[in-house]
Amino acid sequence: MASPEIDALTQALSRLPGLGPRSARRAVLHLVKKRETALDPLLTALDRVARNLATCSTCGNVDTTDPCGICTDPRRDDRSLCVVEEVADLWALDRARLFPGRFHVLGGRLSALEGVRPDDLAIDSLVGRVAAGGIDEVVLAMNATLEGQTTAHYIAERIEKYPVRLTQLAHGLPVGGELDYLDEGTLAQALRARRPVA
Amino acid sequence: MASPEIDALTQALSRLPGLGPRSARRAVLHLVKKRETALDPLLTALDRVARNLATCSTCGNVDTTDPCGICTDPRRDDRSLCVVEEVADLWALDRARLFPGRFHVLGGRLSALEGVRPDDLAIDSLVGRVAAGGIDEVVLAMNATLEGQTTAHYIAERIEKYPVRLTQLAHGLPVGGELDYLDEGTLAQALRARRPVA
């Protein structure tokens, strides 16, 4: 019933994560009713990103410049490198502004099931960055999944011959976590890594 | 931390209904990672809508043509006219494909509180359409709110001198409604409008 243009926009929006057909229709209605304050700014922003989109050839981040804003930020510490599976992980860590160093995006995780091998990930380029020197610490920030941890082990083996400190994210109770509701794996990790009370 | 372009896109998306800052970031990440299948189609669709957006000068619908697709659809019945408050209401009714006639969007509802008077709504143009003849039935599909019903009464008074059948949407139990959870107003309406069992 709606025009093909409006239908196409509804469909394009409904494919975004977090938006279904219903909320996409609501969003389209909002856009067409608020042309100046909603539709035009979104169009401009989308167009600018589309024109400048680039994958950083140093770290694998997606940004509007190459090298990306993180790799060129002079306030960041060159001596710390945080390795993550996906761009989403980099963004999540960076959003919290907790890590002051540089990043390296692998582009996935090793997986026998999905046939993902070391050559499919940006591991050689990671080893290259470490081998080039100037890095004191490599933080392996893989997901706490079997595949994530397998990937971390593999990378640790590849890197251990270089004079860098290798660390990984702590495992244990999440903030606000209640013992009663946590899985046994997390409880086991938390117990094994228990610390003296300060 | 992200580039200004990506920040601007995140903000533009987060202003859509149904998307907050978190889901907007997820959506942006999806867009930048799936350039060909997500970003480019959305950009094209948005651009086409922006170029062609128009408010129908006949019924007040928002579409990419003027007159809109509903006003020009030859399969629709010219003799039935459904009056709604907002474009959103038209889309909701039209989505259900239950009403085969034409529409008229008032652009709001009479409201003493918000200072909305008859002149602020597309009521004169509605009366004009009815006065022009060729319409058998006018369905007043206002919201079942005090202001919606006030608006319906006002329009009924303006139209009653013309030879058209004036109807309004039935009030009563919504489908799936449980008496226990319904408000007294709805229960009173449902009881007052009770019908003989078929």
Side-chain angles (χ1 to χ4, degrees):
Chain A
M1 297 282 176
S3 76
E5 291 92 346
I6 287 181
D7 267 348
L9 178 57
T10 309
Q11 280 185 29
L13 278 174
S14 70
R15 273 186 235 110
L16 292 182
L19 278 178
R22 271 187 99 89
S23 41
R25 272 193 300 259
R26 268 221 319 281
V28 168
L29 195 64
H30 177 80
L31 288 169
V32 299
K33 287 193 69 180
K34 313 258 169 160
R35 190 193 172 121
E36 281 78 19
T37 58
L39 199 155
D40 289 342
L42 179 58
L43 180 58
T44 309
L46 203 58
D47 188 55
R48 285 209 184 120
V49 167
R51 276 176 209 279
N52 298 299
L53 203 60
T55 299
C56 178
S57 47
T58 304
C59 76
N61 187 17
V62 175
D63 203 347
T64 49
T65 54
D66 175 20
C68 74
I70 291 176
C71 283
T72 53
D73 185 347
R75 290 161 305 180
R76 284 179 174 266
D77 184 358
D78 279 322
R79 289 163 306 166
S80 298
L81 188 65
C82 181
V83 184
V84 294
E85 295 179 20
E86 301 280 4
V87 174
D89 305 329
L90 187 163
W91 288 21
L93 279 168
D94 193 50
R95 202 181 307 144
R97 286 156 204 252
L98 292 169
F99 187 71
R102 311 285 179 188
F103 285 92
H104 191 88
V105 180
L106 296 174
R109 63 215 65 79
L110 296 179
S111 166
L113 219 68
E114 295 168 29
V116 181
R117 299 158 47 84
D119 288 350
D120 300 321
L121 304 178
I123 293 179
D124 285 344
S125 60
L126 169 64
V127 175
R129 289 178 80 178
V130 173
I135 295 174
D136 292 343
E137 179 180 7
V138 174
V139 183
L140 300 176
M142 269 82 256
N143 287 330
T145 59
L146 184 62
E147 293 178 339
Q149 296 306 302
T150 306
T151 311
H153 278 295
Y154 177 83
I155 291 176
E157 276 179 19
R158 292 279 304 267
I159 287 182
E160 62 183 2
K161 62 181 166 195
Y162 300 101
V164 295
R165 195 151 59 96
L166 261 179
T167 57
Q168 64 175 354
L169 296 185
H171 295 170
L173 308 184
V175 173
E178 298 180 60
L179 266 62
D180 207 11
Y181 292 95
L182 283 170
D183 62 297
E184 288 176 25
T186 301
L187 286 177
Q189 291 268 19
L191 198 58
R192 210 178 304 141
R194 65 189 181 275
R195 302 172 308 173
V197 177
Chain B
M1 296 282 178
S3 76
E5 291 91 347
I6 288 181
D7 267 349
L9 179 57
T10 309
Q11 280 185 29
L13 278 173
S14 70
R15 272 186 237 110
L16 293 181
L19 277 179
R22 274 188 97 89
S23 41
R25 272 194 300 258
R26 269 218 321 279
V28 169
L29 195 63
H30 178 80
L31 288 169
V32 299
K33 288 192 71 181
K34 314 259 170 163
R35 192 195 170 119
E36 281 78 19
T37 58
L39 198 155
D40 290 341
L42 178 59
L43 180 57
T44 308
L46 203 58
D47 187 54
R48 284 208 186 119
V49 168
R51 277 175 208 279
N52 298 300
L53 203 59
T55 299
C56 178
S57 47
T58 304
C59 76
N61 187 16
V62 176
D63 203 345
T64 49
T65 53
D66 175 20
C68 75
I70 290 176
C71 284
T72 54
D73 185 346
R75 290 162 304 181
R76 285 180 173 265
D77 183 359
D78 280 324
R79 289 164 306 166
S80 298
L81 188 64
C82 180
V83 185
V84 294
E85 295 179 19
E86 301 280 3
V87 174
D89 304 329
L90 187 163
W91 287 22
L93 279 168
D94 193 49
R95 201 180 309 143
R97 286 156 204 254
L98 292 169
F99 187 72
R102 312 284 178 188
F103 285 91
H104 191 89
V105 179
L106 296 174
R109 64 216 62 83
L110 296 178
S111 166
L113 219 67
E114 295 169 27
V116 180
R117 298 157 48 83
D119 287 351
D120 301 319
L121 304 178
I123 293 179
D124 284 346
S125 60
L126 169 63
V127 175
R129 290 178 80 177
V130 174
I135 295 173
D136 291 342
E137 178 180 9
V138 175
V139 183
L140 300 176
M142 269 81 257
N143 287 328
T145 58
L146 184 62
E147 293 177 340
Q149 295 308 302
T150 306
T151 310
H153 279 296
Y154 177 83
I155 292 175
E157 277 180 19
R158 291 278 304 268
I159 287 180
E160 63 183 2
K161 63 182 164 194
Y162 299 100
V164 294
R165 194 153 59 97
L166 261 179
T167 57
Q168 63 176 355
L169 297 185
H171 294 171
L173 307 185
V175 173
E178 299 180 60
L179 267 62
D180 208 10
Y181 292 95
L182 283 170
D183 62 296
E184 288 177 25
T186 301
L187 286 177
Q189 291 268 18
L191 198 57
R192 212 178 302 144
R194 65 188 180 275
R195 302 173 307 175
V197 176

